[in-house]
Amino acid sequence: GATRTTEVQMTVRILLNEKASPVGKLADAELHFDESDGALAGLKLIGFSCWERRVNGGRTVTFPARTYSLNGERRSFALLRPLESQYGMENQNRVRDLILQAYEAHKARSEAS
């Protein structure tokens, strides 16, 4: 089939974790797709979270995931995954960086007011 590539315009919305529970969770994040995004227009992708790293400091982002049980062990399956290419991995890292940048900007604005 034919492949069509388009640049997706989106906004990262940060929802600070005011309750401080669970420990280390800083915020939830959503990707809001702008009105010009064709099939994604007016939709949002939820389930991202910003966390304080437990080791070596810094911050990380978890992606939307579905939990399941295998042999009594709880596991998770990431729902936003790269295609079988390096390009997909780079974009996954780019999304992670965009969410962290949005968190930092939101935090700075909150502290300023």
Side-chain angles (χ1 to χ4, degrees), residues 1 8 21 24 27 32 36 41 54 56 60 68 77 80 101 104-105 112:
V8 173
S21 176
H32 290 208
S36 61
R54 292 183 193 161
N56 300 331
T60 190
Y68 65 97
F77 179 85
L80 183 64
Q101 289 167 15
E104 293 297 336

Side-chain angles (χ1 to χ4, degrees), residues 8 13 28 39 63 92 97:
V8 173
R13 179 163 184 237
D28 289 306
F63 281 44
Q92 191 175 41
D97 291 343

Side-chain angles (χ1 to χ4, degrees), residues 38 46 56-57 72-73 80 83 91 103:
I46 63 171
N56 300 331
E73 184 180 331
L80 183 64
L83 296 172
N91 278 345
Y103 170 77

Side-chain angles (χ1 to χ4, degrees), residues 1 7 20 24 43 56-57 63-64 66 73 78 81 88 100 107 111:
E7 181 67 26
L43 298 176
N56 300 331
F63 281 44
R66 172 164 294 187
E73 184 180 331
R81 306 167 67 82
L100 288 172
K107 186 175 169 219
E111 290 171 356

Side-chain angles (χ1 to χ4, degrees), residues 56-89:
N56 300 331
R59 297 188 171 98
T60 190
V61 174
T62 55
F63 281 44
R66 172 164 294 187
T67 57
Y68 65 97
S69 189
L70 182 65
N71 300 326
E73 184 180 331
R74 190 172 167 191
R75 297 179 177 209
S76 65
F77 179 85
L79 298 175
L80 183 64
R81 306 167 67 82
L83 296 172
E84 301 295 324
S85 71
Q86 183 60 33
Y87 184 69
M89 285 298 295

